[in-house]
Amino acid sequence: MSNSTRDLSERSLQLLKTLVERYISDGQPVGSRVLSKDSELNLSPATIRNVMADLEDLGLVHSPHTSAGRVPTVSGYRLFVDSLLTVKPLDAKDITRLHKGLSERDDTSNVIGVASRLLAELTRMAGVVTLPRRELVCLRHIEFLPLSHKRVLVIFVTDEQEVHNKVIHTGKDFSASELQQAGAYLNSIYCGRSLVAVREAVLKELQDDQERMNQAMLDAIKMAQLTFESGDEKDDYVLTGETNLMGFSELSDRDHLKKLFDAFSHKQDVIHLLDQSMKAEGVQIFIGEESGYQAFDHCSLVTSSYSVNDEVVGVLGVIGPTRMAYEKIIPLGTLPRLF
Amino acid sequence: MSNSTRDLSERSLQLLKTLVERYISDGQPVGSRVLSKDSELNLSPATIRNVMADLEDLGLVHSPHTSAGRVPTVSGYRLFVDSLLTVKPLDAKDITRLHKGLSERDDTSNVIGVASRLLAELTRMAGVVTLPRRELVCLRHIEFLPLSHKRVLVIFVTDEQEVHNKVIHTGKDFSASELQQAGAYLNSIYCGRSLVAVREAVLKELQDDQERMNQAMLDAIKMAQLTFESGDEKDDYVLTGETNLMGFSELSDRDHLKKLFDAFSHKQDVIHLLDQSMKAEGVQIFIGEESGYQAFDHCSLVTSSYSVNDEVVGVLGVIGPTRMAYEKIIPLGTLPRLF
DNA sequence: GATTGGCACTCGTCTTGATGGAGTGCTAAT
DNA sequence: ATTAGCACTCCATCAAGACGAGTGCCAATC
C-alpha cells in the first residue's frame, strides 16, 4: 500500500492532520467525537469513524484496543510531516535567545556545547551537535612535545580554536628541540590545508623519492603521518538535556530509558545515525523505528547539517519522543545560519 | 540517642549485621523468621522480635509497615559499615582486570576515563573520577596562538600528557612571532613548577618593580596572569556507567532518576561532594541523605583520594544505591595504589 | 450515494470486597 | 531470659461489577 497523498481525499488528509495535531498535544488516543469538533469540516462522529476505518486500512493510524480512539502510526507521522505540516516560524523571543546565547560563546569558547544547550533548552528535549569532522577542517598549527619511552605528544589546532591532542609512538626518542624543528617545518608547509589534504600530501611525500629530504624532514613527515593516519579518529558529539527525555511518559519505561541512555553513552549508533543525516541537505527527520536502531524506537530525531566555509562538516539535531511538536522543531533547522 | 557500639549487646550487633547483609543481598524487608535461621545464634523468632524492637527504638532499623520485616536506616548502615563490616579482599580476577585495563591506558591516553570505566564495570554501578586539580599539577609547556580580535589561544600541558586550552582577551593584537617569544620566555622560567606556584610567582612579578623587564617580558607575564587567574577553572570529572543505576529498583522511580541524572549533568553538586571527600584520607563513604543532596537520597557514594607525586590531587569513587555490597566496594579504595 | 442517528457491543479502568500470607506485638508459660 | 502461642494488622492478589469511552454496523435521511 502506498501512502501517497493521492490515495486520499482532501477530507481524509484534513482529518489525519487534526488527529496528529491533537494527539501530539494531548498524548491520548483521539476518538471520533473530539475529532468531529476539532476539525472545521462539520461532520458527525459517525462519518469520521468511516474515514478512520479507511485510514486504519492504509496503516496511517492505529487503535490501541477496540474502544480507544486512534493514534498515528509511523507512516501516519511520516505523511503528516511530509505533506500536511504547517511549519511555524521561529518565535521572536527564541531568536533573541539564540542570538544572545551564541554571542556569549567565546566566553566559554565552546560553540558546540552552547548550541547543543540552546537546542535542549528551547525544545525541552535533548539537543545534540556533532563536532566538525576533523578531516574537512583546516590545520592551523601543529606541535610536538617529548614524553618518555619513545612517545610523543602531538598538539594540533584546527580552524579558529579547536585544540586536539594525541600520543604517538615513534621509532626512537627525540629531544625537545628536534621536535620543535619538526613542528616548525610541518607548520611552514601544511598550515591552512585541510587535514585530509595534509594526510594525502604526507603519504605522497613518503612514497616519492626521499633522497632530496634530510633526516629531520623525514622524521617530521613520519610523525605527521602517524598523527593523521585515518581510522581511529572517532567523530564525537555533544549531547545535552538528556534528562528532559525522562519526563515523557512514552519513554519513561525503564527498559526503553536504559536502552536509550546506553546508546547515548556508547555513542557509536548515534554517531552513525547523525552521519547519515549529514549527507542530506536541509532538515532530515527520523521518526520512530525509521532510524533502524531499537533504542530509538519511540523517539524522533530532527537534524540539520551545518557548514564551515561552505563545506558541510557536522550536524545538529533534537531528540525527543515521536509525539513531538514537529512544526516548532523543524524551523530550528535554520539555526546553522545564525552562526 | 547515641548509636555507638557500646549501647548494644554483642548479640544485637550480630543480628543487625546479618539483617543488613540479608537486606543488601535480597532487597526485601527481612523478618524475624529468616533472621532466626540466618544468624548462627540459635534464637527463636520471638526473641529476635524483641531485639528488633530495641533496634527500632535506637533508629537503626525501620518497618515499612506493621507487618513487613525490618529494613536498615541510614544510621543502621552507618553503624554497619563503621563497625560490623568484614571487608573482602579484592578478587584476584578483578585485580588482573584492573592491571590489564590500566596498562592499556596509553592507547587511549586517558587514564581518568579508563579508571572510571573500570570502576563502573567491576561494580556494575556508576564510576566517577575527578580530573587532577589543575593548581596542584606541574606546568610542562605553554604556548600562545593568535586569534582574531585581540584574542589569544593559550595551550598548556601539565605533567605527562594533559593538554588544556583557554582563550584569553588581551589588550592588543599580537603577532604569531611575538606570542612565540612570550611562550618561550615563560617556558624558560616557569616550567616544572606547579600551577599554583606559577600563579603566585606571576602576581609577585607584576607587583614588583617592572623597570627591569622589557615590554615583551611584561606582555608575557600579563598573558600568564590571564591564563592562570583563579576562579573560573571548574574542576571536572568523568562519570561512566550511569545507566547501570537505572537497573536498581530502589532508584528506578522516575522522579528520583531525573533528579539524579540532573545532578550528574549539572556537575556542580557532584563536584562539591567529591571535593569534600578529597580532604579526607582513605576511603570515605556517604550513605543516603548523609551527602546532603536530595538527588542522592537513595544513593551511596564510596570514594578514595589519589595522589600524584605524594600530593592528593583528585578522587575516584563509586555511586550506587544505599543497598550496595559495601564489603566489595570498599577494597576498591586501594585502586589508586595500582596507578 | 454520501451522511447521519441509533444501538449493541467491546474493552479498559476503577472500585469494591474477599482471601491468604507474612510478620508483628503481647502475654503467659517455661 | 527465652520461648510458644495467639490475635491482630497490613499488604498483595484476585474476581466481580459498574462505568465510560469509543467503535462498527445498519437503517433512515438528505
Side-chain angles (χ1 to χ4, degrees):
Chain A
M1 52 182 154
S2 105
N3 299 329
S4 105
T5 321
R6 310 227 171 98
D7 295 357
L8 292 164
S9 69
E10 193 58 39
R11 192 178 68 179
S12 308
L13 290 173
Q14 172 67 22
L15 282 174
L16 177 61
K17 184 181 174 195
T18 45
L19 181 141
V20 176
E21 283 169 351
R22 182 76 189 208
Y23 180 68
I24 283 175
S25 83
D26 285 16
Q28 298 292 330
V30 16
S32 54
R33 181 170 314 178
V34 265
L35 216 43
S36 145
K37 289 183 183 160
D38 248 37
S39 73
E40 271 103 42
L41 333 152
N42 269 7
L43 293 177
S44 78
T47 315
I48 292 188
R49 284 202 283 280
N50 290 325
V51 178
M52 286 301 123
D54 294 349
L55 292 180
E56 184 140 26
D57 287 344
L58 290 170
L60 295 171
V61 297
H62 163 249
S63 252
H65 59 83
T66 335
S67 109
R70 302 306 213 286
V71 161
T73 62
V74 170
S75 325
Y77 276 122
R78 172 51 63 191
L79 180 55
F80 176 74
V81 301
D82 283 350
S83 321
L84 304 175
L85 192 66
T86 43
V87 179
K88 292 191 181 168
L90 228 67
D91 194 53
K93 214 170 60 191
D94 289 347
I95 295 185
T96 321
R97 189 144 155 219
L98 285 170
H99 269 121
K100 197 167 153 224
L102 286 172
S103 65
E104 282 166 2
R105 66 171 139 162
D106 50 17
D107 211 53
T108 70
S109 87
N110 178 6
V111 213
I112 308 293
V114 172
S116 173
R117 199 170 314 277
L118 283 170
L119 284 175
E121 281 173 12
L122 245 50
T123 61
R124 308 198 159 275
M125 303 194 284
V128 61
V129 183
T130 63
L131 301 186
R133 294 206 62 175
R134 280 198 187 182
E135 287 125 25
L136 301 177
V137 117
C138 289
L139 181 66
R140 227 179 89 76
H141 182 82
I142 187 167
E143 169 141 5
F144 303 94
L145 287 177
L147 297 175
S148 47
H149 308 307
K150 300 183 181 169
R151 292 176 311 148
V152 170
L153 173 63
V154 193
I155 302 173
F156 61 96
V157 184
T158 53
D159 282 341
E160 272 297 283
Q161 44 189 254
E162 289 279 352
V163 181
H164 306 107
N165 62 82
K166 179 176 179 176
V167 177
I168 60 174
H169 294 251
T170 51
K172 63 171 191 180
D173 272 321
F174 290 97
S175 73
S177 63
E178 283 175 314
L179 292 176
Q180 204 171 336
Q181 272 195 337
Y185 171 66
L186 292 175
N187 276 322
S188 70
I189 50 176
Y190 293 125
C191 257
R193 295 164 74 174
S194 79
L195 294 200
V196 63
V198 173
R199 179 155 75 229
E200 278 165 17
V202 163
L203 277 177
K204 188 156 170 295
E205 209 65 77
L206 280 175
Q207 281 161 2
D208 276 9
D209 66 326
Q210 303 171 356
E211 320 282 297
R212 63 185 170 74
M213 294 194 281
N214 61 29
Q215 188 58 39
M217 286 156 75
L218 198 57
D219 285 339
I221 297 280
K222 273 183 187 160
M223 284 191 279
Q225 198 263 322
L226 286 171
T227 306
F228 299 118
E229 70 190 349
S230 66
D232 64 353
E233 309 295 340
K234 282 279 186 295
D235 286 319
D236 201 1
Y237 59 83
V238 175
L239 177 69
T240 53
E242 313 97 293
T243 53
N244 287 342
L245 300 182
M246 297 204 270
F248 298 103
S249 53
E250 52 263 69
L251 302 176
S252 67
D253 170 56
R254 229 185 38 192
D255 268 9
H256 279 177
L257 217 49
K258 179 146 169 44
K259 276 189 189 140
L260 191 58
F261 276 67
D262 275 340
F264 287 159
S265 47
H266 283 136
K267 295 202 166 188
Q268 198 162 345
D269 291 353
V270 183
I271 284 174
H272 191 239
L273 200 53
L274 292 172
D275 246 24
Q276 270 181 264
S277 52
M278 196 162 83
K279 285 158 197 154
E281 267 295 320
V283 174
Q284 182 95 353
I285 304 180
F286 296 91
I287 300 168
E289 305 133 23
E290 286 180 355
S291 69
Y293 294 98
Q294 221 198 344
F296 287 89
D297 266 8
H298 294 258
C299 288
S300 283
L301 170 64
V302 179
T303 66
S304 173
S305 58
Y306 69 86
S307 308
V308 172
N309 303 332
D310 283 333
E311 179 103 49
V312 174
V313 292
V315 289
L316 46 80
V318 172
I319 300 171
T322 41
R323 178 172 93 73
M324 64 164 71
Y326 294 95
E327 79 277 6
K328 289 187 180 178
I329 305 300
I330 292 176
L332 283 173
T334 60
L335 181 64
R337 284 185 227 136
L338 299 179
F339 281 140
Chain B
M1 49 183 158
S2 105
N3 300 330
S4 106
T5 322
R6 308 223 173 100
D7 295 357
L8 290 164
S9 71
E10 195 57 40
R11 192 178 67 178
S12 307
L13 289 172
Q14 172 66 23
L15 282 174
L16 177 61
K17 185 181 175 196
T18 45
L19 182 141
V20 176
E21 284 169 350
R22 182 76 189 209
Y23 181 68
I24 284 175
S25 83
D26 285 16
Q28 298 292 329
V30 17
S32 54
R33 180 169 314 179
V34 266
L35 217 42
S36 146
K37 289 183 182 159
D38 249 37
S39 74
E40 271 103 43
L41 329 155
N42 269 5
L43 293 177
S44 80
T47 314
I48 293 189
R49 285 202 282 278
N50 290 326
V51 178
M52 286 302 122
D54 294 350
L55 292 180
E56 183 140 26
D57 286 345
L58 289 170
L60 295 170
V61 298
H62 163 249
S63 253
H65 58 83
T66 336
S67 106
R70 302 304 213 286
V71 163
T73 62
V74 170
S75 326
Y77 276 122
R78 172 53 60 190
L79 180 55
F80 175 75
V81 300
D82 283 351
S83 321
L84 304 174
L85 192 67
T86 44
V87 178
K88 294 192 180 168
L90 226 63
D91 193 54
K93 214 172 60 189
D94 289 347
I95 295 184
T96 321
R97 189 144 155 220
L98 283 171
H99 270 122
K100 198 170 152 222
L102 286 172
S103 66
E104 282 168 2
R105 67 171 136 159
D106 51 16
D107 211 55
T108 70
S109 86
N110 179 7
V111 212
I112 307 293
V114 172
S116 172
R117 200 170 313 278
L118 282 169
L119 284 175
E121 280 173 14
L122 245 50
T123 61
R124 308 198 159 277
M125 303 194 286
V128 61
V129 183
T130 63
L131 301 187
R133 294 207 62 175
R134 280 197 185 182
E135 287 124 26
L136 301 176
V137 116
C138 289
L139 182 65
R140 227 180 88 75
H141 182 82
I142 186 167
E143 169 142 3
F144 302 94
L145 288 178
L147 298 175
S148 46
H149 308 307
K150 298 183 182 170
R151 292 176 310 148
V152 170
L153 174 63
V154 192
I155 302 173
F156 60 97
V157 184
T158 54
D159 283 337
E160 272 298 281
Q161 46 189 251
E162 289 278 353
V163 181
H164 305 111
N165 62 83
K166 179 176 178 177
V167 176
I168 59 174
H169 295 249
T170 51
K172 62 171 190 180
D173 273 319
F174 289 98
S175 74
S177 63
E178 283 174 315
L179 291 177
Q180 205 170 335
Q181 271 195 338
Y185 171 66
L186 292 175
N187 276 322
S188 69
I189 49 176
Y190 293 124
C191 256
R193 295 163 73 174
S194 79
L195 293 201
V196 64
V198 173
R199 179 157 73 228
E200 278 164 17
V202 162
L203 277 178
K204 189 157 169 296
E205 208 66 75
L206 280 176
Q207 280 161 4
D208 276 9
D209 66 326
Q210 303 171 355
E211 319 282 298
R212 62 186 170 76
M213 295 194 282
N214 61 30
Q215 186 58 39
M217 286 157 74
L218 198 58
D219 285 340
I221 297 280
K222 273 183 187 161
M223 283 191 278
Q225 198 264 321
L226 284 171
T227 307
F228 298 118
E229 68 189 347
S230 66
D232 63 354
E233 309 295 336
K234 281 280 185 294
D235 286 318
D236 202 1
Y237 59 84
V238 175
L239 178 70
T240 53
E242 313 97 291
T243 54
N244 288 340
L245 300 181
M246 297 204 267
F248 298 103
S249 53
E250 52 264 68
L251 301 177
S252 67
D253 170 55
R254 226 181 46 188
D255 267 8
H256 280 177
L257 217 51
K258 180 148 168 41
K259 275 189 190 140
L260 190 58
F261 276 67
D262 274 340
F264 287 160
S265 48
H266 282 135
K267 295 204 166 185
Q268 199 163 346
D269 291 353
V270 183
I271 283 174
H272 191 239
L273 201 51
L274 292 171
D275 246 25
Q276 270 181 264
S277 52
M278 196 163 82
K279 284 158 198 157
E281 266 296 318
V283 174
Q284 182 94 354
I285 304 180
F286 295 91
I287 300 168
E289 305 133 22
E290 286 180 355
S291 68
Y293 293 99
Q294 220 199 344
F296 287 89
D297 266 6
H298 295 257
C299 288
S300 282
L301 171 64
V302 178
T303 66
S304 172
S305 58
Y306 69 86
S307 307
V308 172
N309 304 331
D310 282 334
E311 178 102 51
V312 174
V313 292
V315 289
L316 45 79
V318 172
I319 300 171
T322 39
R323 178 172 94 73
M324 64 164 73
Y326 293 96
E327 79 278 3
K328 291 188 179 177
I329 305 301
I330 292 175
L332 283 173
T334 60
L335 181 65
R337 282 184 229 139
L338 299 178
F339 280 140

